[in-house]
PDB file of all heavy atoms in Angstrom:
ATOM      1  N   ARG F  18       1.423  15.314   0.557  1.00 97.00           N
ATOM      2  CA  ARG F  18       2.487  16.306   0.632  1.00 97.00           C
ATOM      3  C   ARG F  18       2.022  17.644   0.066  1.00 97.00           C
ATOM      4  O   ARG F  18       1.069  17.710  -0.701  1.00 97.00           O
ATOM      5  CB  ARG F  18       3.731  15.821  -0.096  1.00 97.00           C
ATOM      6  CG  ARG F  18       3.591  15.658  -1.581  1.00 97.00           C
ATOM      7  CD  ARG F  18       4.904  15.196  -2.230  1.00 97.00           C
ATOM      8  NE  ARG F  18       4.715  14.888  -3.627  1.00 97.00           N
ATOM      9  CZ  ARG F  18       4.403  13.687  -4.105  1.00 97.00           C
ATOM     10  NH1 ARG F  18       4.267  12.662  -3.278  1.00 97.00           N
ATOM     11  NH2 ARG F  18       4.239  13.492  -5.390  1.00 97.00           N
ATOM     12  N   ILE F  24       1.729  20.693 -10.347  1.00 98.00           N
ATOM     13  CA  ILE F  24       1.319  19.301 -10.128  1.00 98.00           C
ATOM     14  C   ILE F  24       1.172  18.624 -11.484  1.00 98.00           C
ATOM     15  O   ILE F  24       0.458  19.115 -12.364  1.00 98.00           O
ATOM     16  CB  ILE F  24      -0.002  19.242  -9.334  1.00 98.00           C
ATOM     17  CG1 ILE F  24       0.210  19.846  -7.940  1.00 98.00           C
ATOM     18  CG2 ILE F  24      -0.520  17.810  -9.258  1.00 98.00           C
ATOM     19  CD1 ILE F  24      -1.073  20.041  -7.144  1.00 98.00           C
ATOM     20  N   LEU F  29       1.605  11.683 -10.940  1.00 98.00           N
ATOM     21  CA  LEU F  29       0.751  11.175  -9.859  1.00 98.00           C
ATOM     22  C   LEU F  29       0.237   9.772 -10.180  1.00 98.00           C
ATOM     23  O   LEU F  29       0.212   8.896  -9.316  1.00 98.00           O
ATOM     24  CB  LEU F  29      -0.436  12.109  -9.611  1.00 98.00           C
ATOM     25  CG  LEU F  29      -0.156  13.459  -8.994  1.00 98.00           C
ATOM     26  CD1 LEU F  29      -1.454  14.261  -8.883  1.00 98.00           C
ATOM     27  CD2 LEU F  29       0.490  13.311  -7.631  1.00 98.00           C
ATOM     28  N   VAL F  43      -7.136   9.892 -11.485  1.00 98.00           N
ATOM     29  CA  VAL F  43      -6.453  11.125 -11.104  1.00 98.00           C
ATOM     30  C   VAL F  43      -7.468  12.257 -11.126  1.00 98.00           C
ATOM     31  O   VAL F  43      -8.143  12.478 -12.136  1.00 98.00           O
ATOM     32  CB  VAL F  43      -5.280  11.458 -12.050  1.00 98.00           C
ATOM     33  CG1 VAL F  43      -4.642  12.793 -11.669  1.00 98.00           C
ATOM     34  CG2 VAL F  43      -4.242  10.345 -12.025  1.00 98.00           C
ATOM     35  N   PHE F  44      -7.570  12.954  -9.999  1.00 98.00           N
ATOM     36  CA  PHE F  44      -8.428  14.132  -9.881  1.00 98.00           C
ATOM     37  C   PHE F  44      -7.527  15.352  -9.754  1.00 98.00           C
ATOM     38  O   PHE F  44      -6.580  15.345  -8.960  1.00 98.00           O
ATOM     39  CB  PHE F  44      -9.319  14.033  -8.638  1.00 98.00           C
ATOM     40  CG  PHE F  44      -9.972  15.336  -8.286  1.00 98.00           C
ATOM     41  CD1 PHE F  44     -11.104  15.763  -8.967  1.00 98.00           C
ATOM     42  CD2 PHE F  44      -9.438  16.158  -7.299  1.00 98.00           C
ATOM     43  CE1 PHE F  44     -11.692  16.975  -8.660  1.00 98.00           C
ATOM     44  CE2 PHE F  44     -10.027  17.370  -6.986  1.00 98.00           C
ATOM     45  CZ  PHE F  44     -11.156  17.779  -7.669  1.00 98.00           C
ATOM     46  N   LEU F  45      -7.816  16.395 -10.528  1.00 98.00           N
ATOM     47  CA  LEU F  45      -7.128  17.666 -10.390  1.00 98.00           C
ATOM     48  C   LEU F  45      -8.151  18.746 -10.095  1.00 98.00           C
ATOM     49  O   LEU F  45      -9.141  18.884 -10.824  1.00 98.00           O
ATOM     50  CB  LEU F  45      -6.382  18.049 -11.684  1.00 98.00           C
ATOM     51  CG  LEU F  45      -5.234  17.162 -12.117  1.00 98.00           C
ATOM     52  CD1 LEU F  45      -4.669  17.657 -13.444  1.00 98.00           C
ATOM     53  CD2 LEU F  45      -4.149  17.097 -11.057  1.00 98.00           C
ATOM     54  N   GLY F  46      -7.916  19.497  -9.047  1.00 97.00           N
ATOM     55  CA  GLY F  46      -8.703  20.689  -8.762  1.00 97.00           C
ATOM     56  C   GLY F  46      -7.930  21.865  -9.308  1.00 97.00           C
ATOM     57  O   GLY F  46      -6.760  22.057  -8.956  1.00 97.00           O
ATOM     58  N   VAL F  47      -8.525  22.655 -10.207  1.00 97.00           N
ATOM     59  CA  VAL F  47      -7.822  23.746 -10.868  1.00 97.00           C
ATOM     60  C   VAL F  47      -8.485  25.085 -10.567  1.00 97.00           C
ATOM     61  O   VAL F  47      -9.662  25.153 -10.209  1.00 97.00           O
ATOM     62  CB  VAL F  47      -7.735  23.524 -12.397  1.00 97.00           C
ATOM     63  CG1 VAL F  47      -7.018  22.215 -12.720  1.00 97.00           C
ATOM     64  CG2 VAL F  47      -9.105  23.552 -13.033  1.00 97.00           C
ATOM     65  N   VAL F  48      -7.721  26.143 -10.729  1.00 97.00           N
ATOM     66  CA  VAL F  48      -8.216  27.500 -10.510  1.00 97.00           C
ATOM     67  C   VAL F  48      -9.167  27.851 -11.657  1.00 97.00           C
ATOM     68  O   VAL F  48      -8.800  27.756 -12.826  1.00 97.00           O
ATOM     69  CB  VAL F  48      -7.047  28.512 -10.442  1.00 97.00           C
ATOM     70  CG1 VAL F  48      -7.574  29.934 -10.284  1.00 97.00           C
ATOM     71  CG2 VAL F  48      -6.095  28.150  -9.294  1.00 97.00           C
ATOM     72  N   TYR F  62      -2.509  30.284  -2.300  1.00 97.00           N
ATOM     73  CA  TYR F  62      -2.755  29.243  -1.311  1.00 97.00           C
ATOM     74  C   TYR F  62      -1.666  29.299  -0.252  1.00 97.00           C
ATOM     75  O   TYR F  62      -0.478  29.383  -0.573  1.00 97.00           O
ATOM     76  CB  TYR F  62      -2.741  27.850  -1.953  1.00 97.00           C
ATOM     77  CG  TYR F  62      -3.975  27.556  -2.754  1.00 97.00           C
ATOM     78  CD1 TYR F  62      -4.011  27.792  -4.119  1.00 97.00           C
ATOM     79  CD2 TYR F  62      -5.121  27.051  -2.140  1.00 97.00           C
ATOM     80  CE1 TYR F  62      -5.149  27.531  -4.859  1.00 97.00           C
ATOM     81  CE2 TYR F  62      -6.259  26.792  -2.879  1.00 97.00           C
ATOM     82  CZ  TYR F  62      -6.277  27.033  -4.236  1.00 97.00           C
ATOM     83  OH  TYR F  62      -7.408  26.779  -4.960  1.00 97.00           O
ATOM     84  N   LEU F  73      -2.576  15.551   5.420  1.00 98.00           N
ATOM     85  CA  LEU F  73      -2.674  14.983   4.074  1.00 98.00           C
ATOM     86  C   LEU F  73      -2.239  13.513   4.077  1.00 98.00           C
ATOM     87  O   LEU F  73      -2.882  12.664   3.452  1.00 98.00           O
ATOM     88  CB  LEU F  73      -1.826  15.787   3.085  1.00 98.00           C
ATOM     89  CG  LEU F  73      -2.347  17.166   2.716  1.00 98.00           C
ATOM     90  CD1 LEU F  73      -1.307  17.914   1.875  1.00 98.00           C
ATOM     91  CD2 LEU F  73      -3.677  17.087   1.991  1.00 98.00           C
ATOM     92  N   VAL F  90      -2.237   8.990  -3.396  1.00 98.00           N
ATOM     93  CA  VAL F  90      -1.256  10.076  -3.402  1.00 98.00           C
ATOM     94  C   VAL F  90      -2.048  11.387  -3.463  1.00 98.00           C
ATOM     95  O   VAL F  90      -2.858  11.588  -4.376  1.00 98.00           O
ATOM     96  CB  VAL F  90      -0.296   9.989  -4.605  1.00 98.00           C
ATOM     97  CG1 VAL F  90       0.683  11.159  -4.591  1.00 98.00           C
ATOM     98  CG2 VAL F  90       0.445   8.658  -4.602  1.00 98.00           C
ATOM     99  N   ILE F  91      -1.814  12.248  -2.471  1.00 98.00           N
ATOM    100  CA  ILE F  91      -2.491  13.545  -2.405  1.00 98.00           C
ATOM    101  C   ILE F  91      -1.424  14.634  -2.364  1.00 98.00           C
ATOM    102  O   ILE F  91      -0.531  14.594  -1.522  1.00 98.00           O
ATOM    103  CB  ILE F  91      -3.367  13.671  -1.147  1.00 98.00           C
ATOM    104  CG1 ILE F  91      -4.390  12.533  -1.070  1.00 98.00           C
ATOM    105  CG2 ILE F  91      -4.062  15.034  -1.107  1.00 98.00           C
ATOM    106  CD1 ILE F  91      -5.144  12.471   0.255  1.00 98.00           C
ATOM    107  N   VAL F  92      -1.524  15.604  -3.279  1.00 98.00           N
ATOM    108  CA  VAL F  92      -0.576  16.712  -3.336  1.00 98.00           C
ATOM    109  C   VAL F  92      -1.372  18.015  -3.403  1.00 98.00           C
ATOM    110  O   VAL F  92      -2.294  18.137  -4.211  1.00 98.00           O
ATOM    111  CB  VAL F  92       0.342  16.610  -4.573  1.00 98.00           C
ATOM    112  CG1 VAL F  92       1.313  17.775  -4.626  1.00 98.00           C
ATOM    113  CG2 VAL F  92       1.084  15.286  -4.583  1.00 98.00           C
ATOM    114  N   HIS F  93      -1.007  18.968  -2.546  1.00 98.00           N
ATOM    115  CA  HIS F  93      -1.631  20.295  -2.611  1.00 98.00           C
ATOM    116  C   HIS F  93      -0.548  21.327  -2.849  1.00 98.00           C
ATOM    117  O   HIS F  93       0.496  21.300  -2.222  1.00 98.00           O
ATOM    118  CB  HIS F  93      -2.389  20.625  -1.323  1.00 98.00           C
ATOM    119  CG  HIS F  93      -3.447  21.666  -1.546  1.00 98.00           C
ATOM    120  ND1 HIS F  93      -3.156  22.970  -1.884  1.00 98.00           N
ATOM    121  CD2 HIS F  93      -4.800  21.577  -1.502  1.00 98.00           C
ATOM    122  CE1 HIS F  93      -4.281  23.644  -2.022  1.00 98.00           C
ATOM    123  NE2 HIS F  93      -5.294  22.830  -1.807  1.00 98.00           N
ATOM    124  N   ARG F  94      -0.817  22.225  -3.768  1.00 98.00           N
ATOM    125  CA  ARG F  94       0.153  23.258  -4.126  1.00 98.00           C
ATOM    126  C   ARG F  94      -0.065  24.513  -3.287  1.00 98.00           C
ATOM    127  O   ARG F  94      -1.201  24.867  -2.962  1.00 98.00           O
ATOM    128  CB  ARG F  94       0.018  23.594  -5.602  1.00 98.00           C
ATOM    129  CG  ARG F  94       1.121  24.488  -6.087  1.00 98.00           C
ATOM    130  CD  ARG F  94       1.212  24.496  -7.578  1.00 98.00           C
ATOM    131  NE  ARG F  94       2.118  25.577  -8.000  1.00 98.00           N
ATOM    132  CZ  ARG F  94       2.103  26.100  -9.188  1.00 98.00           C
ATOM    133  NH1 ARG F  94       1.270  25.651 -10.103  1.00 98.00           N
ATOM    134  NH2 ARG F  94       2.939  27.070  -9.486  1.00 98.00           N
ATOM    135  N   LEU F  98      -1.290  30.851  -7.869  1.00 98.00           N
ATOM    136  CA  LEU F  98      -1.617  30.041  -9.037  1.00 98.00           C
ATOM    137  C   LEU F  98      -2.521  30.830  -9.966  1.00 98.00           C
ATOM    138  O   LEU F  98      -3.446  31.515  -9.514  1.00 98.00           O
ATOM    139  CB  LEU F  98      -2.346  28.760  -8.630  1.00 98.00           C
ATOM    140  CG  LEU F  98      -1.515  27.624  -8.058  1.00 98.00           C
ATOM    141  CD1 LEU F  98      -0.982  27.963  -6.692  1.00 98.00           C
ATOM    142  CD2 LEU F  98      -2.341  26.361  -7.987  1.00 98.00           C
ATOM    143  N   GLU F 102      -4.366  26.385 -13.412  1.00 98.00           N
ATOM    144  CA  GLU F 102      -3.278  25.667 -12.748  1.00 98.00           C
ATOM    145  C   GLU F 102      -3.870  24.780 -11.668  1.00 98.00           C
ATOM    146  O   GLU F 102      -4.818  25.168 -10.976  1.00 98.00           O
ATOM    147  CB  GLU F 102      -2.267  26.635 -12.136  1.00 98.00           C
ATOM    148  CG  GLU F 102      -1.407  27.333 -13.168  1.00 98.00           C
ATOM    149  CD  GLU F 102      -0.271  28.090 -12.520  1.00 98.00           C
ATOM    150  OE1 GLU F 102       0.752  27.441 -12.182  1.00 98.00           O
ATOM    151  OE2 GLU F 102      -0.402  29.319 -12.350  1.00 98.00           O
ATOM    152  N   ALA F 103      -3.305  23.596 -11.502  1.00 98.00           N
ATOM    153  CA  ALA F 103      -3.804  22.640 -10.516  1.00 98.00           C
ATOM    154  C   ALA F 103      -3.371  23.039  -9.110  1.00 98.00           C
ATOM    155  O   ALA F 103      -2.187  23.211  -8.839  1.00 98.00           O
ATOM    156  CB  ALA F 103      -3.311  21.239 -10.825  1.00 98.00           C
ATOM    157  N   SER F 104      -4.358  23.153  -8.224  1.00 97.00           N
ATOM    158  CA  SER F 104      -4.075  23.442  -6.821  1.00 97.00           C
ATOM    159  C   SER F 104      -3.998  22.157  -6.008  1.00 97.00           C
ATOM    160  O   SER F 104      -3.292  22.099  -5.013  1.00 97.00           O
ATOM    161  CB  SER F 104      -5.134  24.371  -6.237  1.00 97.00           C
ATOM    162  OG  SER F 104      -6.431  23.833  -6.403  1.00 97.00           O
ATOM    163  N   VAL F 105      -4.718  21.142  -6.431  1.00 98.00           N
ATOM    164  CA  VAL F 105      -4.697  19.862  -5.727  1.00 98.00           C
ATOM    165  C   VAL F 105      -4.722  18.723  -6.746  1.00 98.00           C
ATOM    166  O   VAL F 105      -5.380  18.823  -7.783  1.00 98.00           O
ATOM    167  CB  VAL F 105      -5.875  19.743  -4.723  1.00 98.00           C
ATOM    168  CG1 VAL F 105      -7.217  19.771  -5.424  1.00 98.00           C
ATOM    169  CG2 VAL F 105      -5.752  18.502  -3.857  1.00 98.00           C
ATOM    170  N   GLY F 106      -3.982  17.668  -6.432  1.00 98.00           N
ATOM    171  CA  GLY F 106      -3.996  16.459  -7.244  1.00 98.00           C
ATOM    172  C   GLY F 106      -4.163  15.253  -6.341  1.00 98.00           C
ATOM    173  O   GLY F 106      -3.504  15.155  -5.302  1.00 98.00           O
ATOM    174  N   ILE F 107      -5.073  14.383  -6.713  1.00 98.00           N
ATOM    175  CA  ILE F 107      -5.299  13.148  -5.960  1.00 98.00           C
ATOM    176  C   ILE F 107      -5.267  11.996  -6.951  1.00 98.00           C
ATOM    177  O   ILE F 107      -6.010  11.997  -7.933  1.00 98.00           O
ATOM    178  CB  ILE F 107      -6.658  13.163  -5.221  1.00 98.00           C
ATOM    179  CG1 ILE F 107      -6.698  14.310  -4.209  1.00 98.00           C
ATOM    180  CG2 ILE F 107      -6.917  11.812  -4.544  1.00 98.00           C
ATOM    181  CD1 ILE F 107      -8.052  14.529  -3.573  1.00 98.00           C
ATOM    182  N   ALA F 108      -4.389  11.039  -6.695  1.00 98.00           N
ATOM    183  CA  ALA F 108      -4.333   9.837  -7.520  1.00 98.00           C
ATOM    184  C   ALA F 108      -4.632   8.647  -6.630  1.00 98.00           C
ATOM    185  O   ALA F 108      -4.047   8.508  -5.544  1.00 98.00           O
ATOM    186  CB  ALA F 108      -2.971   9.674  -8.168  1.00 98.00           C
ATOM    187  N   CYS F 124     -11.399  11.392  -0.339  1.00 97.00           N
ATOM    188  CA  CYS F 124     -10.153  12.120  -0.066  1.00 97.00           C
ATOM    189  C   CYS F 124     -10.326  13.625  -0.222  1.00 97.00           C
ATOM    190  O   CYS F 124      -9.890  14.396   0.640  1.00 97.00           O
ATOM    191  CB  CYS F 124      -9.025  11.627  -0.979  1.00 97.00           C
ATOM    192  SG  CYS F 124      -8.396   9.991  -0.556  1.00 97.00           S
ATOM    193  N   ILE F 125     -10.945  14.098  -1.304  1.00 97.00           N
ATOM    194  CA  ILE F 125     -11.090  15.537  -1.501  1.00 97.00           C
ATOM    195  C   ILE F 125     -12.044  16.122  -0.459  1.00 97.00           C
ATOM    196  O   ILE F 125     -11.816  17.226   0.057  1.00 97.00           O
ATOM    197  CB  ILE F 125     -11.507  15.911  -2.945  1.00 97.00           C
ATOM    198  CG1 ILE F 125     -11.384  17.432  -3.166  1.00 97.00           C
ATOM    199  CG2 ILE F 125     -12.897  15.430  -3.279  1.00 97.00           C
ATOM    200  CD1 ILE F 125      -9.987  17.982  -3.069  1.00 97.00           C
ATOM    201  N   LEU F 128     -10.032  16.338   2.762  1.00 96.00           N
ATOM    202  CA  LEU F 128      -9.036  17.404   2.650  1.00 96.00           C
ATOM    203  C   LEU F 128      -9.707  18.759   2.912  1.00 96.00           C
ATOM    204  O   LEU F 128      -9.215  19.554   3.718  1.00 96.00           O
ATOM    205  CB  LEU F 128      -8.414  17.372   1.258  1.00 96.00           C
ATOM    206  CG  LEU F 128      -7.273  18.342   0.965  1.00 96.00           C
ATOM    207  CD1 LEU F 128      -6.430  17.799  -0.183  1.00 96.00           C
ATOM    208  CD2 LEU F 128      -7.729  19.731   0.640  1.00 96.00           C
ATOM    209  N   LYS F 129     -10.814  19.022   2.258  1.00 94.00           N
ATOM    210  CA  LYS F 129     -11.526  20.296   2.430  1.00 94.00           C
ATOM    211  C   LYS F 129     -11.994  20.473   3.874  1.00 94.00           C
ATOM    212  O   LYS F 129     -12.005  21.577   4.393  1.00 94.00           O
ATOM    213  CB  LYS F 129     -12.726  20.362   1.494  1.00 94.00           C
ATOM    214  CG  LYS F 129     -12.373  20.409   0.047  1.00 94.00           C
ATOM    215  CD  LYS F 129     -12.048  21.803  -0.362  1.00 94.00           C
ATOM    216  CE  LYS F 129     -11.891  21.930  -1.853  1.00 94.00           C
ATOM    217  NZ  LYS F 129     -11.462  23.259  -2.206  1.00 94.00           N
ATOM    218  N   ILE F 134      -5.538  24.648   4.962  1.00 95.00           N
ATOM    219  CA  ILE F 134      -5.040  25.314   3.754  1.00 95.00           C
ATOM    220  C   ILE F 134      -6.045  26.413   3.430  1.00 95.00           C
ATOM    221  O   ILE F 134      -7.251  26.168   3.413  1.00 95.00           O
ATOM    222  CB  ILE F 134      -4.899  24.336   2.574  1.00 95.00           C
ATOM    223  CG1 ILE F 134      -3.849  23.268   2.901  1.00 95.00           C
ATOM    224  CG2 ILE F 134      -4.562  25.077   1.281  1.00 95.00           C
ATOM    225  CD1 ILE F 134      -3.728  22.163   1.877  1.00 95.00           C
TER     226      ILE F 134
END
Side-chain angles (χ1 to χ4, degrees):
R18 66 179 173 269
I24 297 171
L29 290 178
V43 177
F44 166 80
L45 295 177
V47 301
V48 177
Y62 285 94
L73 288 172
V90 179
I91 304 171
V92 179
H93 203 293
R94 189 164 169 201
L98 282 70
E102 287 190 81
S104 56
V105 63
I107 299 172
C124 287
I125 191 64
L128 184 157
K129 294 277 189 185
I134 296 174

